[in-house]
């Protein structure tokens, strides 16, 4: 009997390669997302520090020029924060998109592996049937020889 051969094995192998590539791409996109999120958190900390400094300066009645510079800097940081929040949102969207692609590839791979498993079971059952048929034939031949009869 011929050995088991899954006709879609090349496609399954290709799908596994695609999955590996997609995992790497998802990892890279997640790194970008984490970097963008870190930048946003850094801006939040700077804004909080500036607000604390401004409060302390108002209590100590620091120079007006310094207060004006602080307010301008605060507006600039707020603008940077808004831009960074958009960058984080965009990176999050990319992460979600890449995750969906990876999930789709994984579904295809799992479907192919289940199909391969069913084909293997069919092959194995046919192999067992043929083996049993051969054993039955051998048993019939031996029985006929022992009885001295003629085989039909």
């Amino acid at each position: 009997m011929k050995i088991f051969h899954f006709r879609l094995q090349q496609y399954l192998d290709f799908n596994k390669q695609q999955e590996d590539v997609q995992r790497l791409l998802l990892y890279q996109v997640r790194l970008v997302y984490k970097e963008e999120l870190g930048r946003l958190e850094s801006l939040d900390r700077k804004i909080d520090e500036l607000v604390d400094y401004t409060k302390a300066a108002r209590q100590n009645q620091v120079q007006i020029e310094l207060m004006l510079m602080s307010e301008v800097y605060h507006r600039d940081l707020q603008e940077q924060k808004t831009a960074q929040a958009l960058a984080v949102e965009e990176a999050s969207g990319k992460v979600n998109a890449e995750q969906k692609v990876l999930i789709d590839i994984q579904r295809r791979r799992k479907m192919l592996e289940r199909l391969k498993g069913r084909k293997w079971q069919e092959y194995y059952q046919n192999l067992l049937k043929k083996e049993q048929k051969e054993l039955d034939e051998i048993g019939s031949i031996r029985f006929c020889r022992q009885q001295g009869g003629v085989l039909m």
Side-chain angles (χ1 to χ4, degrees), residues 38-116:
R39 289 181 189 135
L40 181 63
E41 290 170 353
S42 173
L43 284 170
D44 280 338
R45 282 191 302 273
K46 285 181 182 179
I47 289 172
D48 290 342
E49 290 171 4
L50 182 63
V51 167
D52 291 342
Y53 173 77
T54 305
K55 284 180 184 178
R58 283 185 182 156
Q59 289 175 354
N60 295 335
Q61 297 179 354
V62 178
Q63 300 172 352
I64 294 178
E65 296 88 20
L66 191 57
M67 293 295 288
L68 290 175
M69 286 178 27
S70 173
E71 297 228 357
V72 169
Y73 183 58
H74 186 265
R75 269 187 260 129
D76 184 48
L77 286 176
Q78 287 293 354
E79 289 172 5
Q80 288 178 15
K81 179 182 175 183
T82 303
Q84 191 61 38
L86 289 174
V88 167
E89 189 175 320
E90 182 181 323
S92 176
K94 286 181 182 179
V95 167
N96 290 336
E98 296 301 330
Q99 282 177 330
K100 287 178 184 177
V101 171
L102 179 61
I103 288 170
D104 184 50
I105 290 171
Q106 288 174 332
R107 280 189 190 134
R108 273 189 311 213
R109 179 186 50 81
K110 288 178 184 177
M111 178 192 65
L112 287 169
E113 287 176 346
R114 283 192 302 268
L115 179 62
K116 182 179 180 179

Side-chain angles (χ1 to χ4, degrees), residues 123-140:
Y123 168 80
Y124 188 67
Q125 292 301 320
N126 286 336
L127 182 66
L128 290 177
K129 285 179 185 177
K130 286 183 180 186
E131 188 176 291
Q132 186 62 45
K133 184 178 176 183
E134 289 174 6
L135 290 174
D136 289 345
E137 287 177 7
I138 291 172
S140 295

